[in-house]
């Protein structure tokens, strides 16, 4: 894709408005950043999932800000066109607004175009503070891995009426605070579809159905190299592919063609 134009925030907002699907994948180094970029991935997510797939941790909680800065810098060096989102790791934005600013600024200086934080309610003021000072923010609701212990494990969120109402309230608060993107993880497809229609920002799903503005997967999961059992929403794109680049290109194609995910297979 030599004639590809750089992905911008305005372009992502336009894609949401026009119904053009957004393809996002996790990425942790320069080589894969280049490969994903050439395959047409719109958004590279430097996820704190690197704690699981790179560092061998059982949760994302041990991941440090220093690790996130390092991997963000690596990805930025390999990227040419894609938009880069970097996770704010656990304990890097929880203590104070000032702490959140310093953490987000460190990721921004390393090459991120946007930072992502988990949770609703208390996070809205943090979002507003960062956005007002020029750092775009992606919110993350539903299954939030940094607080998975409090959620009782890796379970679908927002299934009962009260939980759905709370999730919708948090999504609206975050959007009103200035969040320019929202990741929904492991929420019922119908709820995710409603939020995608309601909000004027891109809603990226992971186990949240086919009606979201776009999709994200952990790269190691979709390449079938993550040990152990994988979540229901994961598809093995290496099956039938001739190379890693082919598998990533197939993922992009299926997201944009709206053939992945399938609600009866990959959703809740």
């Amino acid at each position: 894709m030599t004639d590809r134009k750089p992905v911008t925030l305005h372009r992502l907002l336009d894609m949401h408005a026009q119904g053009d699907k957004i393809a996002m994948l996790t990425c942790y180094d320069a080589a894969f950043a280049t490969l994903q970029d050439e395959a047409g991935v719109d958004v590279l997510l430097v996820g704190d999932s690197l704690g699981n797939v790179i560092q061998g941790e059982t949760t994302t909680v041990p991941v440090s800000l220093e690790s996130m800065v390092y991997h963000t810098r690596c990805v930025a060096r390999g990227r040419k066109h894609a938009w880069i989102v970097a996770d704010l790791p656990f304990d890097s934005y929880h203590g104070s607004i000032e702490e959140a600013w310093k953490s987000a600024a460190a990721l921004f200086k390393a090459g991120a175009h946007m930072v992502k934080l988990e949770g609703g309610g208390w996070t809205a003021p943090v979002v507003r503070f960062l956005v007002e000072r020029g750092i775009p923010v992606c919110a993350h609701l539903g299954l939030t891995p940094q607080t998975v212990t409090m959620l009782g494990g890796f379970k679908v969120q927002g299934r009962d009426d009260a939980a759905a109402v709370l999730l919708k309230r948090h999504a609206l608060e975050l959007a009103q605070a200035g969040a320019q993107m929202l990741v929904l993880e492991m929420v019922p497809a119908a709820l995710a579809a409603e939020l995608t229609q309601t909000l004027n920002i891109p809603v990226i799903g992971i186990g949240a159905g086919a009606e979201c503005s776009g999709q994200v997967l952990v790269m190691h999961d979709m390449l079938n190299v993550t040990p152990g059992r994988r979540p229901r929403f994961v598809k093995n794109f290496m099956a039938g592919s001739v190379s890693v680049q082919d598998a990533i290109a197939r993922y992009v194609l299926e997201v944009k063609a709206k053939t992945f995910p399938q609600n009866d297979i990959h959703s809740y």
Side-chain angles (χ1 to χ4, degrees), residues 154-157 159 185-191 206-209 230-234 262-268:
F154 292 90
K155 299 179 179 180
V156 180
Q157 304 297 306
R159 266 189 163 154
E185 182 168 357
M186 289 183 68
V187 303
L191 176 58
I206 176 166
R230 279 168 286 284
R232 170 178 174 172
F233 54 76
V234 173
Q262 297 178 45
N263 278 340
D264 58 339
I265 299 175
H266 307 109
S267 305
Y268 302 93

Side-chain angles (χ1 to χ4, degrees), residues 11-24:
R11 172 60 183 147
L12 293 170
L13 292 169
D14 285 344
M15 291 175 73
H16 167 70
Q18 296 167 10
D20 297 332
K21 296 297 184 181
I22 298 166
M24 179 191 289

